[in-house]
Amino acid sequence: MAGYRLVWFQHLHKAAGTYVIRRAMANGETFWSTHENGNPVNGGEVIPLWEKSSTELTEFIDECENKGVTFVACEWGGADFETLAKDERVTLLTCLRHPIKRLISNYNYDHYWMWTKARSYEEYLKEGHLHSSSEYYTKIFARGENDLQKAKSNLTHFDYVIIAEDGMSALDELGWSKESDTTHPTFGDSKRALILLAKFRWIRLFNYLRKIKYRPPSELKIEDKNQNDLLLYESLRV
């Protein structure tokens, strides 16, 4: 395919990722025939792109080109960034927000959508999910390791690293001129309120309607538990 380009989006939970994906849709990017929020699906399961070897990843990109797929999201782990960067067909894109704000948003979202059984931030951090663990960004970009230097090195392979707080103007450079008004907020979803009502979660519903946002207690020292993420984030804003 002449001039083929595959935008590979490293999706980070609660960091404006859904907005980026909807913006890609609005501007005519072609997604995998069956996907979950941009993540390609095969046989009812998200394809574990983060587990693929260099050869397998190249074969997957070949398949995307053959199928005319121009946008792929990878949400549940970090793929082989070096292999992706070396492939001239691939444009690497990601979007981050302040790591503590992201964690707070993720906790409240999971709490009100009942996607976590954790009753506190301490329990939440121990659930074993990558997106709810400390040093989430570092582990994604260092591919499972809490290694700040490796994460920084892998981020140099990206064509676009967007900081959500600084705006989304970089998406214009991808040719995505059409705006998307899609957001993924924690509060203000009538469907979520009705589900809480149907499940008799009265207190949680009351707090949801009042937009009560739970924050980590000071004794948890959440900043200390995410020092690498904070350093990584700040290094990208220079």
Side-chain angles (χ1 to χ4, degrees):
M1 183 184 297
Y4 174 71
R5 179 191 73 172
L6 175 65
V7 177
W8 189 286
F9 178 52
Q10 181 61 59
H11 183 179
L12 302 166
H13 283 239
K14 303 308 293 178
T18 296
Y19 169 81
V20 173
I21 292 165
R22 300 302 180 189
R23 181 87 174 259
M25 285 183 177
N27 285 276
E29 299 292 350
T30 302
F31 287 55
W32 195 263
S33 59
T34 304
H35 67 91
E36 293 181 4
N37 207 22
N39 295 272
V41 170
N42 186 29
E45 300 289 336
V46 171
I47 299 173
L49 301 172
W50 56 96
E51 295 178 357
K52 289 186 177 295
S53 67
S54 177
T55 300
E56 291 171 337
L57 205 54
T58 299
E59 290 173 350
F60 175 77
I61 297 167
D62 291 341
E63 187 173 0
C64 286
E65 182 173 10
N66 291 334
K67 291 181 175 180
V69 174
T70 62
F71 182 93
V72 164
C74 182
E75 186 175 355
W76 304 104
D80 185 341
F81 300 118
E82 187 172 355
T83 294
L84 292 170
K86 287 180 178 178
D87 195 312
E88 295 182 353
R89 299 169 293 179
V90 175
T91 296
L92 276 169
L93 166 69
T94 194
C95 181
L96 299 83
R97 68 187 286 200
H98 190 281
I100 305 304
K101 292 180 179 177
R102 186 213 69 83
L103 177 62
I104 291 172
S105 179
N106 214 148
Y107 175 82
N108 282 274
Y109 190 82
D110 286 354
H111 171 75
Y112 285 114
W113 283 79
M114 295 186 294
W115 287 343
T116 177
K117 295 181 180 179
R119 294 168 294 179
S120 67
Y121 272 90
E122 186 173 12
E123 290 182 7
Y124 190 65
L125 293 173
K126 294 178 180 178
E127 278 191 321
H129 303 302
L130 185 57
H131 67 273
S132 64
S133 68
S134 298
E135 310 288 27
Y136 169 58
Y137 290 158
T138 305
K139 291 172 184 174
I140 282 285
F141 293 109
R143 304 196 65 209
E145 300 178 44
N146 186 16
D147 186 328
L148 178 59
Q149 295 309 312
K150 186 174 180 180
K152 284 184 174 181
S153 177
N154 278 332
L155 271 164
T156 64
H157 294 308
F158 278 73
D159 299 283
Y160 298 96
V161 178
I162 297 173
I163 301 299
E165 290 88 345
D166 296 340
M168 296 289 183
S169 59
L171 296 180
D172 294 334
E173 298 178 27
L174 291 167
W176 297 353
S177 58
K178 292 181 180 179
E179 187 55 81
S180 171
D181 60 1
T182 301
T183 58
H184 212 191
T186 298
F187 300 104
D189 190 305
S190 58
K191 178 182 177 182
R192 171 55 15 207
L194 288 172
I195 291 174
L196 289 172
L197 178 65
K199 291 183 177 293
F200 306 107
R201 299 298 181 97
W202 307 116
I203 294 176
R204 195 171 301 199
L205 173 61
F206 180 67
N207 288 336
Y208 184 77
L209 295 174
R210 292 177 62 209
K211 298 184 179 181
I212 300 297
K213 181 177 287 188
Y214 295 95
R215 300 182 184 278
S218 58
E219 59 267 23
L220 191 58
K221 298 181 178 179
I222 201 68
E223 287 82 6
D224 291 347
K225 296 181 185 297
N226 290 278
Q227 276 297 302
N228 282 343
D229 272 15
L230 288 164
L231 289 169
L232 183 65
Y233 172 81
E234 291 302 329
S235 74
L236 297 168
R237 302 197 76 183
V238 176

